[in-house]
Amino acid sequence: GGLPPSSWLPAWPSPAWGASLADSFLQGLVGACAVAVLCSLVRLHLYLQCANDPERQAEKEAVRGQWALLDQLHVCVLTGLLMVVGARVAALVVLEFSLRAASTLLSLPKGRHSGQLLVLCQFSLGCGVSCSLSYLQEGAPHGTGSLLLSAGLAGLLTRYVWRLSRHVFALYELHCREGYCGACLFLLATWRGIPQLLGNALKVAFLVADLTAVALINRDFLTTAEAIRFWTPLTICYTLLVIYMQEEQRQNPSQQMIYQTVFVRMGGLLILLMTVGRWMDILNILVSLVGEIWCLVRAGATLEICRKQDFSQRFSRLASPSRGPINGQEDHLSKRSAAASS
């Protein structure tokens, strides 16, 4: 004898491994598309807000000046990162952000929203969508087909939002003056409701993600004692992170402090998982750190405008009703569009 030559070659990956890889890719793609839609609508709202305020023309140009090609790169990078991050770490990221978001929302005056929160939730939203799909499609007889349909619909929605953004950035002011574009006139009348729409959609998304995150984490424990050994330090870690974030919010955090906060959050989760987690979880935390930093870098101009806006709203509550988001230019655009339509 001897061994046949075929035994020297590495074994081919099994079909199950290929299907799992395809599912992870599709889950990451849907999560990345959700982040892309969120970012585009936040930028669209900021642009409309600045276009209707003559004092914010520089900010308007900063929002419009971002390259459209980077949006596609953003989706590709996020798809890869969300594909690599495991469901367990994604669940931890979702729960951590949900606690921070709840703390921030409770500290806001009634009727106010936080633009910063809409920008800072990008990677957590992607993790929430991907881990929710992972849990809900687990064991489904046609899970890959369902994910293909979800990815196709998410891609179409992302494409249409990108087209709308490019149209508004280029022609909004002209079309509002002339009064012949239905999309621009609709946005002229309803743009102030975009943050509330996004807030309600994110509440639903994170509610589903939180429930699936708890289920994903608890299924790894065989006994109640194991669950208590994991959840007790996790609760302490999250509580300390929320207290730290509240102290940061009382100040006006610069972009450098926002990056430092990301390192503190991920560092806390890293130390926690080094004691009660697995080695793969530690690697996935590092991938999550890269994802958080990438999202912040990509949204640099948008994040800075939202930071300044939140800070000014916090310290000018008495003057805000007199000024408000509607001013003379928007009234002028409304009158011109009404005259043109009549």
Side-chain angles (χ1 to χ4, degrees):
L3 295 174
S6 60
S7 63
W8 303 342
L9 301 175
W12 288 99
S14 64
W17 181 86
S20 176
L21 187 65
D23 289 350
S24 298
F25 171 77
L26 293 173
Q27 291 160 10
L29 179 59
V30 175
C33 288
V35 175
V37 170
L38 172 67
C39 294
S40 296
L41 290 178
V42 170
R43 285 177 56 202
L44 186 64
H45 174 258
L46 287 178
Y47 178 82
L48 296 172
Q49 196 174 42
C50 296
N52 293 313
D53 189 343
E55 299 178 0
R56 301 180 64 181
Q57 297 305 299
E59 294 180 352
K60 181 190 76 173
E61 295 302 324
V63 172
R64 183 167 60 179
Q66 301 180 33
W67 294 351
L69 184 61
L70 291 179
D71 292 334
Q72 301 173 17
L73 177 63
H74 188 48
V75 170
C76 293
V77 173
L78 270 184
T79 300
L81 292 173
L82 294 174
M83 179 180 173
V84 174
V85 173
R88 182 182 169 99
V89 170
L92 293 176
V93 172
V94 168
L95 291 175
E96 189 268 336
F97 176 81
S98 298
L99 287 177
R100 287 192 296 120
S103 172
T104 302
L105 292 175
L106 290 175
S107 65
L108 291 175
K110 187 176 181 180
R112 296 284 188 182
H113 72 276
S114 173
Q116 263 190 115
L117 200 61
L118 295 177
V119 180
L120 294 175
C121 77
Q122 292 180 71
F123 190 73
S124 300
L125 174 63
C127 288
V129 172
S130 62
C131 77
S132 296
L133 289 174
S134 173
Y135 180 78
L136 295 174
Q137 296 290 334
E138 186 176 4
H142 305 290
T144 303
S146 300
L147 288 173
L148 274 171
L149 179 60
S150 301
L153 293 175
L156 282 176
L157 179 61
T158 305
R159 181 187 174 193
Y160 284 125
V161 171
W162 283 348
R163 288 180 59 185
L164 176 64
S165 298
R166 289 195 296 267
H167 174 83
V168 169
F169 292 160
L171 301 170
Y172 171 76
E173 293 173 293
L174 174 64
H175 285 175
C176 286
R177 286 194 300 267
E178 299 297 332
Y180 60 79
C181 176
C184 292
L185 293 178
F186 176 77
L187 288 173
L188 176 65
T190 61
W191 65 267
R192 290 179 300 277
I194 293 178
Q196 183 178 2
L197 173 66
L198 292 177
N200 292 335
L202 288 174
K203 287 175 185 177
V204 174
F206 277 103
L207 176 62
V208 175
D210 290 337
L211 295 175
T212 56
V214 173
L216 282 169
I217 294 173
N218 281 335
R219 73 179 182 181
D220 293 333
F221 305 124
L222 299 177
T223 63
T224 306
E226 291 182 1
I228 292 176
R229 279 199 301 269
F230 182 84
W231 282 107
T232 301
L234 182 67
T235 304
I236 296 173
C237 177
Y238 280 175
T239 303
L240 294 176
L241 286 175
V242 168
I243 295 173
Y244 175 81
M245 289 299 300
Q246 285 181 335
E247 292 297 325
E248 291 290 326
Q249 290 296 327
R250 289 194 180 95
Q251 308 170 7
N252 181 27
S254 62
Q255 282 202 346
Q256 181 181 358
M257 294 174 65
I258 291 174
Y259 285 105
Q260 291 175 355
T261 302
V262 172
F263 281 100
V264 170
R265 288 170 40 223
M266 291 301 163
L269 291 179
L270 179 64
I271 294 173
L272 172 69
L273 291 177
M274 289 178 68
T275 57
V276 296
R278 308 162 182 163
W279 284 109
M280 187 57 68
D281 294 336
I282 296 174
L283 295 177
N284 289 334
I285 282 289
L286 298 178
V287 175
S288 299
L289 175 61
V290 174
E292 291 276 5
I293 297 298
W294 168 258
C295 289
L296 292 180
V297 171
R298 175 69 187 94
T302 304
L303 179 60
E304 180 64 15
I305 295 173
C306 291
R307 184 186 67 82
K308 293 179 180 178
Q309 186 172 290
D310 289 352
F311 182 73
S312 63
Q313 285 182 357
R314 194 182 311 155
F315 291 97
S316 60
R317 294 174 189 169
L318 295 178
S320 58
S322 62
R323 188 172 185 271
I326 309 176
N327 53 30
Q329 182 175 350
E330 184 177 356
D331 292 339
H332 174 69
L333 290 175
S334 300
K335 291 176 182 178
R336 289 290 299 271
S337 60
S341 60
S342 62

